[in-house]
Amino acid sequence: MKAAWDWHLPVETETQQREIVEFASDLGFDTLIVRDPTEAMARRGAALGVRIVAIVYARPSDAFAAAHPDCLQRLLPAEDEIARAGFEGTPANFQLLSHRWFSIVQDGATLCFEHEASRSFLKDRVSRALEIADGVSFDGFGFRNHYGCFCDRCAALRKSMAAAQPEAHEPELLARMSESSLVTLSDALYEHAKAIKPDAVVTNHVWPPFYPDEYYGNRLRLDFCTQTISWFYPPHWSLERVEFETAEMKRLEDPKRNTFVPFIGLYSDPYLVRTPDRVRAEFEIAGRYVKDHVVLCSLETPHQYPEIADVVKNALRT
């Protein structure tokens, strides 16, 4: 899979929808991952041999959140305060200013994956996506605090685990339950997608990071598990780190669960964009460890910078 994520290029008209598929194809991508695939995208993709994949988010709709507040992740009280302070007391570009890869607490409501209503809601999203798309890609499937949920249901489940395993420490139980929640959900949604459309591609982006195991992606049931080897924001990771991340994720790959695909994050803002030589080096590192599979996010950067478009095109065709 050679995939491009995009949610920046205009897709308001059918002409623009066809053009984004054509641009992805011209660069050499065989998969385009977008928020709201359309029939026009699907038709153009079929003609050009480009799979159109729909992003499925772990965020609830406003209606679901209002009707099922018990099905949302709950933070510790102190973490709620951190989230509030981060939202109200910092500038909009705080992540960039503070050189953070991710926020301490993710903003916005996120589903708790231990509730049947949440799982049904996500299955419905998958079902609707596959009415048009050739596959689905999961994004935001993680924990707002990066390690666990403290809703009543999760607390009760951990209490039951603790009673059955009195020798286990609380952090161990929390980590085990949280990781199991992510893995079990991936299994369920994978099976649901394949039951609807057996040849559907099922992929993701491992985000937000999960603690204590940032490399848990090898356990997820997917066709392709895309994991970050180079992040969007400066300070840009050293090429040594890019290579370490790629090598480690490839080493941990479990082909019985999924195929690891390197994810290269690239934004087009002048203060975020990387040089063509740097982008070329990242693709070369990815290619040394993973043959024929890579993901770029997003298409706006090669669209805005022809010199980077040339790098991407050459990398995908070598």
Side-chain angles (χ1 to χ4, degrees), residues 283-300:
F283 272 95
E284 288 173 352
I285 290 170
R288 284 203 294 272
Y289 291 90
V290 181
K291 182 177 175 58
D292 297 328
H293 298 299
V294 70
V295 170
L296 177 69
C297 184
S298 66
L299 280 180
E300 184 182 40

Side-chain angles (χ1 to χ4, degrees), residues 125-143:
R125 276 189 170 167
V126 170
S127 298
R128 291 196 302 273
L130 291 178
E131 291 175 2
I132 295 176
D134 301 305
V136 288
S137 186
F138 306 129
D139 194 22
F141 281 66
F143 297 97

Side-chain angles (χ1 to χ4, degrees), residues 5 7 55-60 73 106-113 122 125 137-146 182 185 203-209 216 226 231:
W5 286 65
W7 54 84
I55 302 173
V56 173
Y57 293 104
R59 297 289 180 93
Q73 289 183 20
Q106 298 293 320
D107 187 37
T110 300
L111 296 167
C112 172
F113 310 126
L122 290 168
R125 276 189 170 167
S137 186
F138 306 129
D139 194 22
F141 281 66
F143 297 97
R144 291 185 58 200
N145 57 13
H146 305 282
L182 295 170
L185 179 66
T203 184
N204 74 334
H205 176 222
V206 175
W207 180 260
Y216 82 100
T226 77
W231 194 234

